[in-house]
Amino acid sequence: MSDYSMYHALGHDEPSNDASHPNPRTQPAAPQFRPPIASAPVGYQQTGASYSHYAPDQQQHGGTPQPGYQVEGPMGQEHGYFPHQGTTHTVGQSDGSMGGLASHMGGLGLGGEMGGTARSHRKKDRHAHHNIETPGGSSQAFNGMPQGGFGNPTQYLNGDPSQQQTSSHPYTGPSITPTMSQFPAPANAPFSPGRQPSQMEYAARPNFGGSNPPITPSNAPGSAQGRVDPEQIPSVPRSRDGPAQYYLDHVYPTMEQHLPPPGAVSFVAHDQGNSSPKFARLTLNNIPSTSEALGSTGLPLGLVLQPLAPLQAGENPIPVLDFGETGPPRCRRCRTYINPFMTFRSGGNKLVCNMCTHPNEVAPEYFAPTDPSGVRVDREQRPELMMGTVEFMVPKEYWAKEPVGLRWLFLIDVGQEAVNRGFLEAVCEGILGALYGDESSVEEDEQQNGEEPKLRRNLPLGSKVGFVTFDKEVHFYNTSANLDQAQMLVMPDIEDPFVPLGSDGLFVDPNESKTVITSLLTQLPSLFAQVKNPEPALLPTLNAALSALSQTGGRIVCSLSALPTLGPGRLFRRDDGKIHNTDGERKLFQTEHPEWKKTANKMVESGVGVDFFLAAAGGGYMDIATVGHVSAVSGGETFFYPNFHAPRDVLKIAQEIKHTVTRETGFQALMKVRCSNGLQVSSYHGNFLQHTFGADLEFGVIDADKAIGVIFSYDGKLESKLDAHFQSALLYTTASGERRVRCTNTVASVSEGAMESMKFVDQDAVVNMIAKEEPAATKMTERSLKDIRGALTEKTVDILAGYRRNFSGSHPPGQLVLPENLKEFSMYILGLIKARPFKGGHEPTDRRTHEMRMIKSMGAIELSLYLYPRIIPIHNLDDQDGFPNENGHLRVPPAIRASFSRIEEGGAYLVDNGQICVVWMHSQVSPNLLVDLFGEGKTSLQSLDPFSTSLPVLATHLNAQVRNILQYLSTIRGSKALTIQLARQGLDGAEYEFARMLVEDRNNEAQSYVDWLVHVHRHIQLELAGQRKKEDGLDNPIASFTGMRPPYW
């Protein structure tokens, strides 16, 4: 990253030369976010010996053998969490399905050390620099021979693991060593390639943030000659768990450290002038100076922006600055806002823009002298000159209309389907919980403590709410506080909708009208129980809501339970299932209805956005391509419940409505992204409205969970003596009614070639940009799914072949050499190919379209989990897992790989992909585990309620552990609520969802991870030999496994 001392002139706090470690003098480690944690049950004793085998990946990650816990049964005998009979899958065994296709490759080695030597810094003190003297990767494709830069051959082959040197890495530090005492295997046990290492020996090798071991043909028992050992391919869980542990006790300094943490890792960022990765992530944190150099990498130059991303405990709040009627200082040429990378000259009279280098006159009211080094004397008192992310209050010239508090308008479907299925009642309960959910418990606590109950708000001061119901007519409700009960006004004319109620009666303060609103929402289900109209008129209702909000802007929350087949904008069933997997299918992924498009555009112009809650009972068709188009264009979100079942989905709906209402939200928003000379914005990708190329992005609403992607191209050559700068400016109105600009500033160093750039690749940003832009989500309406899958394969081969050809040095042709920072890239792309929008086989177009739009707005956390779920075994937790450690941080057990070969007989697992959380239980799971987890009497899988969505609160150790882990997981995800869904082996349909999330196996009409790597490697070899032909898709003898089920079915 850029030279910290150059921009901040803090010589006494210069960063350390080791770019891998934050400088402890710069900022003390901020407290990590600590979710509510249940204490260990009083009096609950753990007795008896261990009753489980070691967990597969606790062994893999070097966990200790679990002593387990044991309770006495009703007859006094001791029970374990595993049955005595049967065998278990062990990590060391190689499943036949995981063998790979070794005939297509010689020796397959993985690593990423860049060959050659890095050039020295000739301009180290003049511009942004990285400490590239540390290894950028490892070309660890040994095949029995040492590679350049590794020293003697015994270092990794027969050497003492305790003497091996780990490569410098952002996640390794004094507190994390490869031979920690937690490893059961002796740290100095000799490692001989002539025998299969034990799992503890394997974990004790220095692999904790460095390179993966080589994939070589194994002669060990259980693995055929020449087969690829699945243990030795890059592991996504390991790549997450190491950094997660590191950032429990370290902050991420945004200028001193040059590679952001992985997307799925929680961390505390210290803003030093460069924005936190939570707000902005560059695909390349060191940028080649020319387009030719960038082209040699195959990587996109892009920026993933999540401008309102939530902060966590320990992070400084975003400063809000008011410069009065003059507004914030800006460059007069390119209109860039003041930021830490602008410099002052002429004693403080000139402000030099970091984007276009134009010298601007400093306004008298903003003037301050500079010291001899050219730094303003008041710099440390100016947040806009010290922090990368700030907000400016803006004067009236930035207003489109008078700012007011956010207006929430709830449109509630009261049609026959909503009433019969319990969806209406679920939505009403969800709205009540969102508006008043936490108030009653807080008031009771205050009364018990003898305190006067205080007025508490779930919505910001100034926000107002209104209520409308609809079926074949539209009903408005006056909920004024001076009424005893709400008044209904019916608008039967859906051909020409209007608002029969003034805004003062329709929009009210939720706290002042609490009694009226509570009474209304409680009575709605019974009120419409006898009035059942099967066809909802949705578009007229949306147009009426738009009329009510046109003067102020606002956010609409709309529920819908059936295809809207009545009135203007009526829809019909377009998906008859006959054109799936044909070129005609792409038409079903977009709307062709002009009235819906017109309404969506009007909403954006009025500063209005829509969130839909769609319940497709029985898997019915909802035409999400058309209905969801309104929310996608306006910046809203669609929550989809296929096969809606009230007992199972009520809690999830309630939590997601609450999250929608309470998360940070802005409206009437415009966004502009600026970049340095030599670069230009090529395209934007996300859910927004852009009238013409180059125009500002327009959002009716924008919230904390929404991200967009920006692709840059070259319009000249970058100067390697200077940095590349990027600034996004979001002009929006806050929920409390203030007009602000949120500025996010990002900087990257520039190098002449791409060699250094490959050492600072942000894998999560690259995957995010590929998923959003060509060839993935953006092209779904233009290309067939087969072509998209083929294009994703081509993109993967292009990137890895470009690295092999240009940057990896010389290696034997039979070795697959991966960049250090793109080791897991292939797995993520395979996860993308297996994702619902793009997978082969039959899939309802509603679900494809919904998840395609979801991907376009996902940030780094949500997309990382979506492509590769985390799987946590809960049948063999350590005593301390799920409880705070000595520093107050929750101890989370290591995740295992997403493959059925890692599943133990008799095991139970949490599987979370950020959208749903499945609790999968083996058919031979221990009755004691079920009792401890679900309560007395739950001694078999059949005795469990299949629609359970949460765990009961029990005084058992295991129950408290799992509840705490679930609470922790709920804080590291996107907009979807975390409720559990049971998947009992052989009993529940949710087991199909569990099978789909085992992305390393052969499923979703695509290959296993090992076979995918073999396939990619074969094409890299062809590319290097000049014999490669472009694929049309994955449907070829190697890549296609149509109709084959996961190996455990």
Side-chain angles (χ1 to χ4, degrees):
M1 200 54 60
S2 294
D3 189 341
Y4 183 68
S5 61
M6 182 181 77
Y7 287 114
H8 289 261
L10 301 176
H12 58 283
D13 271 344
E14 286 184 356
S16 63
N17 291 330
D18 185 359
S20 303
H21 305 289
N23 183 358
R25 294 177 300 168
T26 304
Q27 175 77 359
Q32 181 66 286
F33 176 73
R34 301 173 186 173
I37 295 175
S39 59
V42 177
Y44 185 81
Q45 300 296 327
Q46 301 183 52
T47 60
S50 166
Y51 12 153
S52 72
H53 300 286
Y54 302 154
D57 264 63
Q58 283 174 329
Q59 298 175 355
Q60 173 187 336
H61 289 273
T64 55
Q66 311 301 331
Y69 72 92
Q70 191 162 341
V71 294
E72 294 188 358
M75 302 301 294
Q77 73 274 20
E78 293 185 348
H79 297 282
Y81 278 174
F82 279 97
H84 291 292
Q85 69 278 8
T87 60
T88 61
H89 293 274
T90 61
V91 180
Q93 293 173 344
S94 177
D95 192 290
S97 64
M98 299 293 289
L101 303 177
S103 60
H104 295 284
M105 51 196 305
L108 181 63
L110 285 181
E113 180 80 17
M114 302 196 194
T117 58
R119 71 175 178 87
S120 61
H121 291 293
R122 290 170 295 183
K123 317 175 186 65
K124 185 167 184 177
D125 297 324
R126 297 179 58 187
H127 70 293
H129 67 273
H130 298 291
N131 184 9
I132 63 166
E133 287 78 21
T134 57
S138 71
S139 55
Q140 211 177 2
F142 300 123
N143 282 354
M145 51 187 268
Q147 301 299 313
F150 276 99
N152 58 61
T154 63
Q155 183 174 353
Y156 280 23
L157 296 177
N158 298 315
D160 182 348
S162 65
Q163 303 300 321
Q164 297 172 8
Q165 295 179 353
T166 57
S167 61
S168 178
H169 192 277
Y171 308 130
T172 57
S175 59
I176 299 178
T177 61
T179 53
M180 291 183 290
S181 59
Q182 68 182 24
F183 295 107
N188 58 356
F191 177 76
S192 170
R195 65 177 178 85
Q196 187 77 2
S198 74
Q199 294 307 313
M200 291 303 107
E201 288 173 336
Y202 179 76
R205 297 170 68 192
N207 202 27
F208 201 74
S211 306
N212 282 295
I215 294 182
T216 56
S218 173
N219 298 323
S223 179
Q225 171 67 33
R227 288 181 181 266
V228 176
D229 184 0
E231 289 297 324
Q232 298 185 2
I233 58 179
S235 167
V236 173
R238 186 183 292 120
S239 73
R240 293 171 176 172
D241 289 341
Q245 289 298 316
Y246 177 82
Y247 284 107
L248 285 178
D249 301 308
H250 298 79
V251 297
Y252 174 81
T254 61
M255 287 286 284
E256 298 172 40
Q257 201 142 314
H258 314 317
L259 268 180
V265 170
S266 176
F267 64 95
V268 171
H270 171 38
D271 191 336
Q272 298 176 317
N274 190 38
S275 286
S276 165
K278 295 177 181 180
F279 301 113
R281 298 179 79 113
L282 275 170
T283 56
L284 295 169
N285 293 283
N286 178 293
I287 300 174
S289 60
T290 63
S291 59
E292 292 77 14
L294 177 67
S296 68
T297 68
L299 295 167
L301 176 55
L303 183 65
V304 180
L305 290 167
Q306 194 172 343
L308 299 182
L311 299 173
Q312 65 186 51
E315 293 184 321
N316 293 325
I318 304 302
V320 181
L321 311 174
D322 190 353
F323 287 87
E325 292 300 318
T326 60
R330 302 180 67 180
C331 175
R332 289 180 174 83
R333 177 191 289 173
C334 67
R335 305 302 293 158
T336 297
Y337 289 86
I338 184 74
N339 63 75
F341 306 106
M342 287 187 173
T343 56
F344 291 86
R345 294 180 183 170
S346 304
N349 289 292
K350 294 285 188 181
L351 176 64
V352 181
C353 178
N354 60 312
M355 298 288 181
C356 66
T357 68
H358 177 69
N360 298 269
E361 293 290 337
V362 176
E365 60 271 18
Y366 192 65
F367 173 79
T370 58
D371 62 19
S373 63
V375 177
R376 281 175 63 118
V377 295
D378 65 344
R379 180 184 181 91
E380 294 189 22
Q381 286 73 49
R382 291 282 186 181
E384 73 275 14
L385 301 179
M386 294 294 293
M387 300 186 67
T389 304
V390 296
E391 286 200 335
F392 300 110
M393 301 285 289
V394 291
K396 291 184 178 180
E397 62 192 76
Y398 291 81
W399 297 1
K401 56 186 70 173
E402 184 76 22
V404 296
L406 182 59
R407 268 50 175 163
W408 291 88
L409 188 55
F410 295 94
L411 308 184
I412 305 173
D413 179 7
V414 293
Q416 178 177 335
E417 197 71 21
V419 174
N420 291 347
R421 299 284 184 174
F423 185 55
L424 172 58
E425 185 175 358
V427 170
C428 291
E429 290 178 1
I431 296 173
L432 277 174
L435 296 180
Y436 312 111
D438 297 331
E439 293 183 1
S440 58
S441 59
V442 171
E443 289 176 2
E444 289 176 3
D445 292 342
E446 290 176 343
Q447 289 175 353
Q448 291 176 359
N449 296 333
E451 301 176 9
E452 186 70 22
K454 302 174 183 176
L455 182 63
R456 297 184 179 272
R457 292 180 170 273
N458 285 2
L459 297 182
L461 186 65
S463 298
K464 294 188 176 183
V465 298
F467 300 90
V468 174
T469 58
F470 66 98
D471 43 22
K472 68 176 183 180
E473 301 172 332
V474 185
H475 323 108
F476 293 82
Y477 295 88
N478 184 344
T479 53
S480 295
N482 54 13
L483 297 175
D484 293 331
Q485 62 181 13
Q487 296 177 344
M488 176 196 290
L489 289 84
V490 181
M491 186 196 70
D493 185 7
I494 59 175
E495 297 294 331
D496 186 18
F498 63 95
V499 182
L501 184 64
S503 60
D504 292 341
L506 181 59
F507 294 104
V508 297
D509 184 288
N511 289 75
E512 295 176 359
S513 300
K514 179 178 179 180
T515 303
V516 180
I517 292 173
T518 302
S519 174
L520 170 66
L521 294 175
T522 305
Q523 295 176 13
L524 278 181
S526 58
L527 181 63
F528 288 93
Q530 305 302 323
V531 183
K532 296 182 180 179
N533 296 307
E535 298 179 307
L538 179 58
L539 187 62
T541 307
L542 291 175
N543 286 328
L546 176 59
S547 299
L549 292 168
S550 59
Q551 299 302 313
T552 60
R555 189 157 198 158
I556 297 170
V557 176
C558 177
S559 66
L560 182 68
S561 60
L563 187 68
T565 55
L566 188 67
R570 63 179 64 87
L571 303 177
F572 59 93
R573 184 180 181 87
R574 294 193 292 158
D575 183 6
D576 56 7
K578 296 180 181 179
I579 59 175
H580 286 193
N581 296 313
T582 67
D583 289 344
E585 187 178 17
R586 73 185 74 158
K587 295 181 180 179
L588 301 179
F589 302 146
Q590 57 186 327
T591 181
E592 298 178 346
H593 204 298
E595 290 300 317
W596 287 83
K597 293 181 178 180
K598 182 179 178 182
T599 296
N601 291 349
K602 283 184 176 179
M603 284 189 171
V604 177
E605 294 170 4
S606 301
V608 177
V610 188
D611 291 321
F612 283 111
F613 288 80
L614 306 180
Y621 179 67
M622 301 289 288
D623 198 356
I624 290 181
T626 299
V627 175
H629 174 80
V630 181
S631 63
V633 170
S634 64
E637 186 167 3
T638 299
F639 296 85
F640 184 42
Y641 308 93
N643 302 306
F644 172 80
H645 184 66
R648 180 190 63 213
D649 296 326
V650 164
L651 179 61
K652 188 173 179 66
I653 288 176
Q655 291 184 6
E656 289 176 349
I657 290 178
K658 181 175 181 178
H659 179 75
T660 298
V661 172
T662 56
R663 65 187 170 187
E664 184 173 4
T665 301
F667 62 110
Q668 300 176 20
L670 298 172
M671 175 179 274
K672 181 77 171 180
V673 178
R674 297 176 174 89
C675 55
S676 293
N677 286 341
L679 295 173
Q680 61 183 358
V681 175
S682 174
S683 58
Y684 294 96
H685 302 278
N687 294 331
F688 49 78
L689 178 65
Q690 187 179 24
H691 289 290
T692 59
F693 177 75
D696 293 349
L697 306 186
E698 300 181 38
F699 304 84
V701 294
I702 187 169
D703 56 63
D705 297 313
K706 298 300 180 297
I708 64 166
V710 189
I711 292 291
F712 300 97
S713 60
Y714 290 78
D715 62 1
K717 181 179 179 181
L718 292 176
E719 175 55 61
S720 59
K721 297 179 182 179
L722 303 174
D723 295 330
H725 297 272
F726 306 87
Q727 183 184 81
S728 74
L730 177 71
L731 173 65
Y732 72 108
T733 304
T734 66
S736 56
E738 294 180 342
R739 195 71 170 160
R740 299 180 184 175
V741 170
R742 175 164 291 196
C743 286
T744 302
N745 300 285
T746 309
V747 63
S749 53
V750 178
S751 59
E752 289 291 345
M755 173 71 79
E756 296 172 26
S757 301
M758 291 301 296
K759 300 183 180 183
F760 301 99
V761 178
D762 184 342
Q763 179 174 256
D764 289 282
V766 171
V767 172
N768 203 298
M769 290 308 313
I770 290 175
K772 284 179 166 59
E773 60 138 0
E774 188 176 354
T778 301
K779 297 298 180 181
M780 271 191 68
T781 58
E782 302 172 17
R783 305 172 64 177
S784 70
L785 297 178
K786 177 182 175 183
D787 289 344
I788 289 176
R789 293 192 297 272
L792 287 170
T793 304
E794 294 299 318
K795 189 71 172 176
T796 305
V797 173
D798 288 343
I799 291 172
L800 299 182
Y803 175 77
R804 178 62 190 270
R805 180 190 297 112
N806 300 307
F807 311 113
S808 68
S810 97
H811 297 287
Q815 297 171 353
L816 174 60
V817 184
L818 301 180
E820 172 64 22
N821 296 317
L822 291 174
K823 290 200 305 288
E824 297 80 29
F825 174 73
S826 298
M827 182 62 249
Y828 281 119
I829 296 298
L830 179 60
L832 192 60
I833 289 172
K834 292 184 175 185
R836 270 208 175 87
F838 314 115
K839 67 183 286 289
H842 176 81
E843 195 71 33
T845 56
D846 270 353
R847 301 202 73 172
R848 287 195 192 272
T849 308
H850 167 63
E851 297 199 15
M852 176 266 289
R853 289 187 176 137
M854 208 165 61
I855 286 175
K856 292 174 70 174
S857 66
M858 279 182 177
I861 292 177
E862 195 168 8
L863 185 63
S864 180
L865 291 175
Y866 177 78
L867 298 181
Y868 195 100
R870 52 191 161 203
I871 304 179
I872 298 176
I874 58 176
H875 57 279
N876 50 15
L877 295 175
D878 184 75
D879 297 350
Q880 306 303 318
D881 287 339
F883 292 108
N885 62 16
E886 62 276 7
N887 297 321
H889 304 312
L890 189 76
R891 277 191 50 169
V892 181
I896 65 171
R897 300 177 78 141
S899 170
F900 194 74
S901 64
R902 306 308 176 99
I903 302 301
E904 291 187 345
E905 185 174 342
Y909 298 84
L910 293 177
V911 188
D912 175 28
N913 71 347
Q915 310 298 313
I916 63 172
C917 182
V918 171
V919 179
W920 184 87
M921 289 169 286
H922 192 274
S923 59
Q924 297 183 38
V925 68
S926 166
N928 294 328
L929 183 146
L930 297 178
V931 170
D932 286 347
L933 197 56
F934 295 100
E936 291 295 331
K938 308 296 184 182
T939 57
S940 67
L941 293 181
Q942 290 77 7
S943 65
L944 300 179
D945 180 3
F947 304 123
S948 298
T949 55
S950 62
L951 294 178
V953 179
L954 304 176
T956 65
H957 196 77
L958 178 66
N959 182 271
Q961 285 179 299
V962 177
R963 283 189 291 109
N964 287 339
I965 292 171
L966 287 172
Q967 178 64 33
Y968 170 77
L969 296 181
S970 70
T971 66
I972 311 176
R973 59 198 301 109
S975 60
K976 306 304 187 295
L978 190 145
T979 58
I980 65 172
Q981 185 170 352
L982 297 188
R984 302 166 296 172
Q985 187 180 32
L987 295 176
D988 294 319
E991 201 177 6
Y992 285 96
E993 193 67 24
F994 167 71
R996 198 185 70 79
M997 291 194 287
L998 298 176
V999 289
E1000 289 198 18
D1001 290 339
R1002 187 178 64 232
N1003 53 23
N1004 294 293
E1005 314 296 332
Q1007 300 149 299
S1008 69
Y1009 185 18
V1010 172
D1011 293 340
W1012 165 248
L1013 279 178
V1014 174
H1015 175 68
V1016 169
H1017 177 58
R1018 185 169 63 90
H1019 281 268
I1020 291 174
Q1021 290 178 304
L1022 293 174
E1023 174 70 18
L1024 297 178
Q1027 301 173 359
R1028 175 177 164 224
K1029 294 181 180 179
K1030 298 290 185 180
E1031 295 184 45
D1032 291 328
L1034 283 179
D1035 303 318
N1036 56 61
I1038 284 187
S1040 177
F1041 293 93
T1042 303
M1044 298 189 73
R1045 291 181 173 180
Y1048 74 92
W1049 286 110

